[in-house]
Amino acid sequence: MVKQLPYNEMRAVFERFQAAEPEPRGELNHVNAFTLVVAVALSAQATDSGVNKATKTLFEVADTPEKMLALGEEGVIAHIKTIGLYRNKAKNVIKLSRILVEDYGGEVPNSRAALQSLPGVGRKTANVVLNMWWHYPAQAVDTHIFRVGNRSGICPGKDVVAVERAIEDHVPVDFQRHAHHWLILHGRYICVARKPKCGACIIRDLCRYEDKTE
């Protein structure tokens, strides 16, 4: 495992990310907290673009838990059947909608524990919702962040929780809110899995990765 980058180099990394993309955005389309929860839950083992195509029509007819329940499981399936694991995901969407109506008055709760109690919502999903909707500096570690963090030394860790903690402990606080978005985008488009595009990388000179490409 590579060593954690020291403070001054961490500041330099995130200053560059910020200069390149001052206000990074998540790529899942949503209109409110509920549709964000649903979109993120649907995105497991699926691409954001694939989820956006499916939810375009779904959210036009069901943008609240009450409307989703009225649509029913088969109705949800009709909209999301192009997404992997669509039957199980539709079941979870209906279950979480029922819980939101019965236990939270139709509102999406904004604590990590309450969010994680919803079917199909894990820690990563909860952190995405807390960050994107409530602007809380929660760090949603996915495969992209795990790869970038361990290659570069920005946030090395043996598992996603260790990487999440490394971000929280080592990224300067003025960059915490957008940290996971910058890292996801960097992993999705530059520090890709098979052959990272090191020649186009804005943090190449600070990165600890030994097998850099041209």
Side-chain angles (χ1 to χ4, degrees), residues 149-175:
N150 278 290
R151 273 181 179 169
S152 66
I154 294 172
C155 47
K158 292 181 179 179
D159 54 42
V160 294
V161 175
V163 170
E164 181 181 330
R165 178 60 59 83
I167 297 172
E168 293 173 346
D169 288 350
H170 295 283
V171 175
V173 294
D174 44 322
F175 300 116

Side-chain angles (χ1 to χ4, degrees), residues 104 109-118:
Y104 298 100
N110 63 353
S111 81
R112 185 184 287 117
L115 285 167
Q116 284 188 248
S117 73
L118 301 173

Side-chain angles (χ1 to χ4, degrees), residues 90-111:
K91 194 170 294 185
N92 283 336
V93 167
I94 292 300
K95 284 181 180 178
L96 72 84
S97 297
R98 184 171 290 111
I99 290 171
L100 289 175
V101 170
E102 293 177 355
D103 296 347
Y104 298 100
E107 300 295 324
V108 175
N110 63 353
S111 81

Side-chain angles (χ1 to χ4, degrees), residues 35 43 51 56 61 74 96 113 123 145-146 151 180 183:
T35 54
S43 71
V51 172
K56 185 179 186 300
V61 296
E74 291 303 317
L96 72 84
R123 186 179 182 88
I145 293 180
F146 189 81
R151 273 181 179 169
H180 94 274
L183 292 169

Side-chain angles (χ1 to χ4, degrees), residues 46-202:
T47 64
D48 287 359
S49 60
V51 172
N52 288 339
K53 287 178 183 177
T55 57
K56 185 179 186 300
T57 56
L58 175 63
F59 293 158
E60 287 174 356
V61 296
D63 60 357
T64 68
E66 293 84 357
K67 291 177 183 177
M68 198 68 75
L69 286 175
L71 188 60
E73 192 173 318
E74 291 303 317
V76 174
I77 286 173
H79 288 277
I80 70 166
K81 58 187 177 183
T82 55
I83 301 175
L85 308 174
Y86 66 89
R87 289 192 181 279
N88 190 55
K89 289 178 179 179
K91 194 170 294 185
N92 283 336
V93 167
I94 292 300
K95 284 181 180 178
L96 72 84
S97 297
R98 184 171 290 111
I99 290 171
L100 289 175
V101 170
E102 293 177 355
D103 296 347
Y104 298 100
E107 300 295 324
V108 175
N110 63 353
S111 81
R112 185 184 287 117
L115 285 167
Q116 284 188 248
S117 73
L118 301 173
V121 177
R123 186 179 182 88
K124 184 185 79 171
T125 299
N127 282 345
V128 170
V129 175
L130 291 173
N131 184 288
M132 289 181 63
W133 191 256
W134 282 286
H135 309 305
Y136 177 77
Q139 309 301 332
V141 178
D142 67 355
T143 55
H144 296 301
I145 293 180
F146 189 81
R147 180 176 65 255
V148 171
N150 278 290
R151 273 181 179 169
S152 66
I154 294 172
C155 47
K158 292 181 179 179
D159 54 42
V160 294
V161 175
V163 170
E164 181 181 330
R165 178 60 59 83
I167 297 172
E168 293 173 346
D169 288 350
H170 295 283
V171 175
V173 294
D174 44 322
F175 300 116
Q176 288 269 343
R177 180 182 160 194
H178 293 313
H180 94 274
H181 277 133
W182 282 318
L183 292 169
I184 287 172
L185 293 172
H186 192 66
R188 185 172 289 168
Y189 299 111
I190 301 297
C191 195
V192 295
R194 292 187 180 178
K195 189 178 180 182
K197 303 173 184 177
C198 300
C201 179
I202 62 174

